[in-house]
Amino acid sequence: MGVDVFFVISGFLIGSQLFREIENTGNIHLLTFWKRRIRRLQPAALLVLAFSLIGTFLWAPRGAWVGWLQEIIASVLQLQNWLLGYNAVDYLAAGDEKSPVQHYWTLSVEEQFYVLFPLLLLAVVRLAKRLRGNTLTAIGLCLILTVLFSLAYSLWHTATSPSMAYFNTFARAWEFACGALLALYPRRPSALVGSVAAPLGLSLIVASSFSYDSGTAFPGSAALLPVTGAMLCLWAGPGSTLQKLGNVRLVSALGRWSYSVYLWHWPLIILAPWALIHWPFDLASPYIGDNGRPVVIAFLSVLLGWLSTKFVEDPVRYSGTRLSGRNRKRFAAAGACALALLCAAFTVVLQDEPSDKAITDEQHAHVMSLPIDALPPCFGASAMDPNNKGCHNPALGQSVFPVASRIAKDDANRQE
């Protein structure tokens, strides 16, 4: 549900910025707008992608590399949502092991919005000028039509192909448009109504978080609840309960770091089980335990989010619009990082090797065809014999079965 709130807020903020530019200049400077978005979002995003790539090579089992690296490539190219949607439809990817960059699908949708939305507004502005119509009225009509058509498409697509609809940019466009409509018509309620709107909106968001589960078809009609809640919170405006809460120093700081915290939290969650079985992290694993791991991950997410904001996001974000010598170096470094990510990932993905499943099936068939006295010395339970210290199967490489994140839920053969 947080994704839908995020999309509404993005539509509101970006809409406010673009509408103000249209009102002041009668135009949209696309390159300037896109450069600001790149400076705001890409430095931290590329940093976390680089960490995820290195973590994959260092800690993840070889069988996960190709799928995870495909998603890293898609994330660099801002196409992660379409890759996940395609995989979910064709391979029932909901049952697959999640990658450390799966959360980048939301950034891909947002970046696609940043490309398409100003182009749409620019076309509407020029058409309104040619027809001598009111520009803001034309924009409002365009946004209303976007909400209606995108919501109708979302309802239909969610009913026919829910997995693909979840990641589909066009099935999410109405959420951005709802936020933009609020920015276009910023009529604030009275103090009394505003004091009710914010708690009511927050209640709707919380209710959707608890009432929906993995079986809920989404987005479709289910997204109406969090979207309406987000709109009410934004409509409440200055002086609302949420604004007062946001003025609290700790809350304000977390808000400033939230983007980087969001980027860091998921790779840490996915890679932690693998890292904790490798040196030197395996030394700390007994002390952390399963219960302590979420606490450590939460702490590291906030810490890395703060460091990324202070030393990566802000220096690039507030570097000014002109490319000085230092700024050119920063952009060149970011571009080199993106290129290195793509090259490293493509090198592995494009290797013409048989799939891990095919190799596993072939090995399984071979072992099952052997007589008992010819079985490998480390076959089956003998591999766990503490006296069999020389037991080693190089064919397994770094593969671990079942995957570490599923061991806690593997109750089929558990004995009390």
Side-chain angles (χ1 to χ4, degrees):
M1 310 323 117
V3 170
D4 307 274
V5 174
F6 170 70
F7 288 161
V8 174
I9 294 174
S10 293
F12 177 81
L13 294 176
I14 298 304
S16 300
Q17 178 182 328
L18 292 175
F19 300 151
R20 188 163 50 248
E21 183 177 1
I22 291 172
E23 190 173 2
N24 293 335
T25 67
N27 198 6
I28 297 176
H29 297 88
L30 292 175
L31 292 181
T32 301
F33 171 78
W34 287 333
K35 281 193 295 185
R36 284 198 299 263
R37 293 298 91 205
I38 291 172
R39 287 204 311 269
R40 171 67 182 91
L41 299 176
Q42 290 307 308
L46 291 174
L47 173 65
V48 177
L49 284 175
F51 167 82
S52 301
L53 178 68
I54 295 171
T56 297
F57 287 145
L58 290 178
W59 305 313
R62 181 63 180 83
W65 282 15
V66 172
W68 288 13
L69 295 179
Q70 286 176 345
E71 292 192 29
I72 291 175
I73 293 171
S75 297
V76 174
L77 299 176
Q78 311 301 328
L79 298 172
Q80 169 76 321
N81 60 314
W82 297 110
L83 175 64
L84 289 179
Y86 175 78
N87 288 341
V89 170
D90 285 359
Y91 305 109
L92 298 177
D96 291 348
E97 191 63 18
K98 296 177 176 62
S99 83
V101 298
Q102 182 167 318
H103 63 318
Y104 270 72
W105 78 267
T106 61
L107 300 182
S108 295
V109 172
E110 188 180 16
E111 292 287 2
Q112 291 160 28
F113 164 72
Y114 292 153
V115 171
L116 297 176
F117 186 55
L119 288 174
L120 177 63
L121 289 182
L122 192 58
V124 171
V125 168
R126 293 184 176 178
L127 181 61
K129 288 181 178 180
R130 179 171 297 183
L131 299 178
R132 301 181 183 276
N134 184 282
T135 301
L136 293 182
T137 302
I139 291 175
L141 179 61
C142 176
L143 291 175
I144 292 172
L145 290 175
T146 300
V147 171
L148 294 177
F149 281 106
S150 175
L151 179 56
Y153 175 70
S154 178
L155 293 171
W156 170 80
H157 203 18
T158 302
T160 57
S161 182
S163 298
M164 185 65 188
Y166 188 86
F167 301 107
N168 193 312
T169 303
F170 302 106
R172 298 281 188 168
W174 67 277
E175 301 177 13
F176 291 99
C178 284
L181 274 172
L182 277 178
L184 185 64
Y185 302 109
R187 295 181 180 179
R188 301 302 180 193
S190 63
L192 177 61
V193 175
S195 64
V196 176
L200 177 59
L202 186 60
S203 299
L204 293 178
I205 295 171
V206 173
S208 64
S209 300
F210 284 99
S211 59
Y212 298 161
D213 54 29
S214 59
T216 303
F218 217 87
S221 59
L224 288 169
L225 198 59
V227 168
T228 303
M231 293 181 70
L232 284 172
C233 291
L234 290 172
W235 183 58
S240 67
T241 306
L242 290 178
Q243 187 194 40
K244 294 176 182 178
L245 179 63
N247 290 333
V248 176
R249 188 170 182 177
L250 177 60
V251 176
S252 177
L254 289 174
R256 291 195 304 272
W257 310 334
S258 60
Y259 173 63
S260 283
V261 172
Y262 172 78
L263 292 177
W264 279 109
H265 87 286
W266 191 252
L268 294 176
I269 291 174
I270 298 301
L271 290 173
W274 303 111
L276 289 173
I277 61 176
H278 290 81
W279 186 89
F281 304 105
D282 58 336
L283 301 177
S285 183
Y287 302 98
I288 296 174
D290 292 337
N291 295 328
R293 188 188 304 165
V295 178
V296 173
I297 289 175
F299 172 77
L300 289 177
S301 297
V302 175
L303 176 62
L304 292 172
W306 168 67
L307 291 173
S308 298
T309 302
K310 183 175 179 63
F311 296 106
V312 179
E313 277 190 63
D314 289 348
V316 177
R317 182 182 181 185
Y318 299 116
S319 59
T321 56
R322 297 185 63 184
L323 288 178
S324 63
R326 180 178 296 180
N327 293 338
R328 289 192 187 96
K329 292 179 181 178
R330 287 171 176 167
F331 277 93
C337 178
L339 183 60
L341 284 170
L342 288 173
C343 291
F346 269 121
T347 300
V348 176
V349 172
L350 296 181
Q351 286 180 346
D352 186 18
E353 296 180 354
S355 68
D356 292 282
K357 184 178 185 304
I359 294 174
T360 302
D361 290 344
E362 182 179 347
Q363 292 174 342
H364 179 266
H366 171 69
V367 171
M368 294 302 292
S369 67
L370 296 175
I372 294 179
D373 57 355
L375 288 174
C378 297
F379 182 73
S382 63
M384 301 181 66
D385 185 353
N387 296 321
N388 193 1
K389 296 181 180 180
C391 184
H392 176 62
N393 187 353
L396 288 177
Q398 288 185 307
S399 299
V400 180
F401 301 97
V403 294
S405 62
R406 295 182 182 175
I407 291 176
K409 300 178 181 179
D410 185 19
D411 297 322
N413 299 303
R414 191 184 301 275
Q415 295 183 0
E416 299 296 337

